[in-house]
Amino acid sequence: MGLFRSLFTAVFACVGSFLFGYDSGVITNVIAQEHFVSHFENPSAAAQGGIVSAYTGGAVLGCIVIFYVGDPLGRTRSIFVGSFVLLFGSALQTGCTTVAMLIAGRLIAGIAIGMLSSTNPVYCSEIAPVAWRGIMAGLQQWMLSWGFFAAQWIGYGSSYADSAFQWRFPLAFQCVPALILCLGILFQLESPRWLVQKGRLDKAKETLRKLHYDGHNDDFLELEYNEIQAQINLEKNLSAKSWKSLLGKASSRKRVYLACGIQLAGQLSGINVINYYGPRIYAALDIDTQTSLMIIGISGALSIVWCTIGLWLSESIGRVKPLIIACYGMACCLLINAVLSQTVVAAGTTNHNALRASVSMNFLISFFFTPLGINSWIYPAEIFNTETRARGNALATVTNWIFNLIFAQISPIALEAVGYRYFYAFMAFNIVTGTCFWIFYPETRGKTLEQMGELFGDEVIHVDATSSDEYKASSTGEKDISGGDLEKK
């Protein structure tokens, strides 16, 4: 019963992640629609970059907001505020009559998405049983994939309308899940770790029982609660109240570098350039707009399948090995795709076999990106301690959005200037990031959030595994129950 409640809570909170994917993906279709281009008098590449990057610029601001208000507000109230702001921004986009109005709506929606994308992985990791933490924190990427899927197919279906419905309906649709999240999150449980941090101990214990009780694990729940309380008390003097204080300790700095690095790797992979500007890329390959939207839609559907498999495997194969494979795999695909596409464009002819191979490489890039996409949200949310988790994860997510903003702004210009040769750079980036994962990133699978400090040389409170088979078994999903003692290490 407790596991079901935890999963339901995490999935519902990640409606915000669905909106993250939808609002990111919908603009690809909108700016390609004939009636959009006509209504806004054929906006230039720079204007299109501005429409896309206003959203990512707003997301940077949203992450900064969470850095300062995430801990005072708590996880559920942060999600409420984010969803409310998103509802307003979505409505403004739907009713826009000028490019400036659209950009304003995108900016406001971006602020909301920045808040949600920073909060959701933290919330999911804090309410999850240790054996399910990878799956539940990784729901951000899974729901994001569903959001992209919905945006792509709604955009494709709307393209058959011969009116402003082509682009206004895809923008309007996002108001519905935003309203559901805004109202429903008020009835969800707060993070038990945040409650302990704020001294609301009875409420924390009650919430932990609702989330993790399976009918006969009373001893385990007592041990889990005691470890959470003891570790948070130990960390009180580490609370990061500013950007500077977050970087004041060597172990904290290492966490920040790793968290920001994995988010940066997601942007350097090139996946968002393909997602944002797919129609433009396919147009360079002599593929018409509706066909390119259909291709992107099929790729989005498959990404859900890959993500589902990736979540299922996340607790069996760990975090780091899939990251290495993902980066090297994407590098190979980008190299092949760039060579194929450049050959077709240089020849000035339509080589159908080369075109098919090029499209298939984009499908493979999506496949290889899956472990990086999932773990870019899991890893930062689990390596920080409770006192620094909200702020540290916000800083990591800021990194994601800053580089998202940079590539969103320069990519249409770069694609016009150099075409598919632009992706040689992303091939090199993937080789570098894959090597960094191999050398610098410790494996985190199987440890509780409170035990994570062992990887960074921090003093931790942990359950003695010799006297607590149940706590040890929690990392494998077993249900043995026995007593245990807390000790400091």
Side-chain angles (χ1 to χ4, degrees):
M1 180 63 184
L3 177 60
F4 175 80
R5 181 71 178 271
S6 297
L7 285 170
F8 174 81
T9 302
V11 170
F12 186 85
C14 285
V15 170
S17 306
F18 172 89
L19 287 161
F20 173 7
Y22 186 88
D23 213 359
S24 298
V26 73
I27 203 63
T28 302
N29 300 301
V30 165
I31 63 178
Q33 300 290 7
E34 178 184 349
H35 282 272
F36 176 88
V37 173
S38 175
H39 182 86
F40 292 106
E41 299 178 348
N42 195 22
S44 65
Q48 291 183 43
I51 292 169
V52 174
S53 61
Y55 169 75
T56 49
V60 172
L61 296 177
C63 294
I64 295 173
V65 169
I66 284 297
F67 184 91
Y68 291 105
V69 307
D71 277 332
L73 280 178
R75 313 314 185 213
T76 55
R77 282 185 289 181
S78 294
I79 294 172
F80 169 77
V81 173
S83 58
F84 181 82
V85 173
L86 180 58
L87 184 60
F88 177 72
S90 301
L92 190 60
Q93 291 177 67
T94 303
C96 70
T97 56
T98 64
V99 170
M101 191 173 175
L102 177 59
I103 289 175
R106 294 277 294 169
L107 177 67
I108 293 170
I111 292 172
I113 291 298
M115 298 177 68
L116 294 171
S117 62
S118 295
T119 305
N120 284 343
V122 170
Y123 180 55
C124 291
S125 68
E126 289 185 342
I127 66 173
V130 63
W132 287 79
R133 190 178 64 243
I135 293 173
M136 289 172 63
L139 283 172
Q140 168 113 323
Q141 185 66 29
W142 189 71
M143 291 292 281
L144 191 158
S145 297
W146 276 105
F148 263 107
F149 172 78
Q152 289 155 356
W153 283 105
I154 288 174
Y156 175 69
S158 299
S159 69
Y160 286 93
D162 189 20
S163 67
F165 183 92
Q166 266 188 349
W167 60 275
R168 287 200 188 274
F169 177 75
L171 292 174
F173 176 81
Q174 60 195 316
C175 295
V176 177
L179 180 61
I180 292 172
L181 179 62
C182 186
L183 297 177
I185 196 64
L186 298 174
F187 300 96
Q188 303 305 313
L189 297 171
E190 183 54 84
S191 160
R193 289 173 170 86
W194 182 83
L195 292 169
V196 170
Q197 184 188 29
K198 297 304 177 183
R200 298 167 60 181
L201 303 183
D202 291 340
K203 183 66 174 177
K205 201 167 187 177
E206 176 189 348
T207 301
L208 196 63
R209 187 174 184 82
K210 290 179 179 178
L211 292 171
H212 293 180
Y213 184 60
D214 66 4
H216 51 79
N217 61 342
D218 298 87
D219 292 341
F220 171 77
L221 288 176
E222 188 67 26
L223 286 170
E224 185 179 27
Y225 170 76
N226 288 340
E227 185 183 49
I228 291 171
Q229 184 183 11
Q231 187 64 31
I232 289 175
N233 288 338
L234 184 67
E235 296 166 357
K236 284 292 185 183
N237 62 333
L238 302 177
S239 181
K241 297 179 173 61
S242 67
W243 298 100
K244 183 177 179 180
S245 63
L246 182 62
L247 301 173
K249 188 179 178 182
S251 62
S252 183
R253 287 196 298 273
K254 183 176 180 180
R255 287 176 167 99
V256 170
Y257 298 152
L258 296 180
C260 293
I262 195 171
Q263 288 283 15
L264 174 60
Q267 295 304 317
L268 295 179
S269 70
I271 191 69
N272 278 341
V273 176
I274 294 171
N275 287 336
Y276 284 155
Y277 300 107
R280 180 186 291 268
I281 293 168
Y282 289 127
L285 297 175
D286 200 30
I287 298 174
D288 65 79
T289 298
Q290 282 192 341
T291 302
S292 70
L293 292 178
M294 183 181 66
I295 291 170
I296 294 168
I298 294 171
S299 177
L302 286 174
S303 72
I304 296 172
V305 177
W306 310 146
C307 197
T308 303
I309 296 171
L311 285 179
W312 180 59
L313 294 174
S314 63
E315 290 300 339
S316 60
I317 60 177
R319 319 286 193 245
V320 178
K321 289 180 181 177
L323 289 172
I324 299 169
I325 295 170
C327 291
Y328 291 155
M330 285 187 289
C332 292
C333 292
L334 285 163
L335 173 62
I336 295 169
N337 209 353
V339 171
L340 286 170
S341 303
Q342 188 175 349
T343 300
V344 170
V345 173
T349 60
T350 301
N351 184 325
H352 291 287
N353 289 330
L355 289 176
R356 293 187 188 99
S358 181
V359 171
S360 70
M361 285 302 106
N362 281 352
F363 279 71
L364 278 177
I365 290 169
S366 176
F367 169 76
F368 280 115
F369 174 77
T370 301
L372 177 56
I374 292 172
N375 285 294
S376 68
W377 303 111
I378 297 174
Y379 205 87
E382 66 184 4
I383 62 175
F384 291 97
N385 56 41
T386 302
E387 292 292 332
T388 61
R389 187 170 296 117
R391 293 181 173 92
N393 196 66
L395 184 57
T397 311
V398 162
T399 304
N400 178 302
W401 286 112
I402 285 176
F403 282 89
N404 193 316
L405 172 62
I406 292 171
F407 287 122
Q409 189 63 46
I410 69 173
S411 290
I413 300 171
L415 287 168
E416 280 193 352
V418 299
Y420 231 96
R421 289 188 293 269
Y422 181 46
F423 288 90
Y424 285 115
F426 292 104
M427 177 202 71
F429 292 150
N430 277 299
I431 293 173
V432 172
T433 54
T435 305
C436 288
F437 288 138
W438 191 351
I439 297 172
F440 298 114
Y441 279 68
E443 182 56 63
T444 58
R445 179 177 65 94
K447 289 187 176 292
T448 68
L449 293 178
E450 286 64 45
Q451 294 166 356
M452 205 64 68
E454 292 176 341
L455 299 175
F456 301 95
D458 285 343
E459 187 177 30
V460 300
I461 299 294
H462 73 104
V463 176
D464 183 0
T466 61
S467 59
S468 180
D469 294 335
E470 178 203 2
Y471 214 75
K472 182 179 180 181
S474 69
S475 65
T476 62
E478 298 173 9
K479 296 183 178 180
D480 301 291
I481 297 177
S482 63
D485 300 315
L486 293 173
E487 64 178 32
K488 185 162 66 177
K489 182 176 180 180

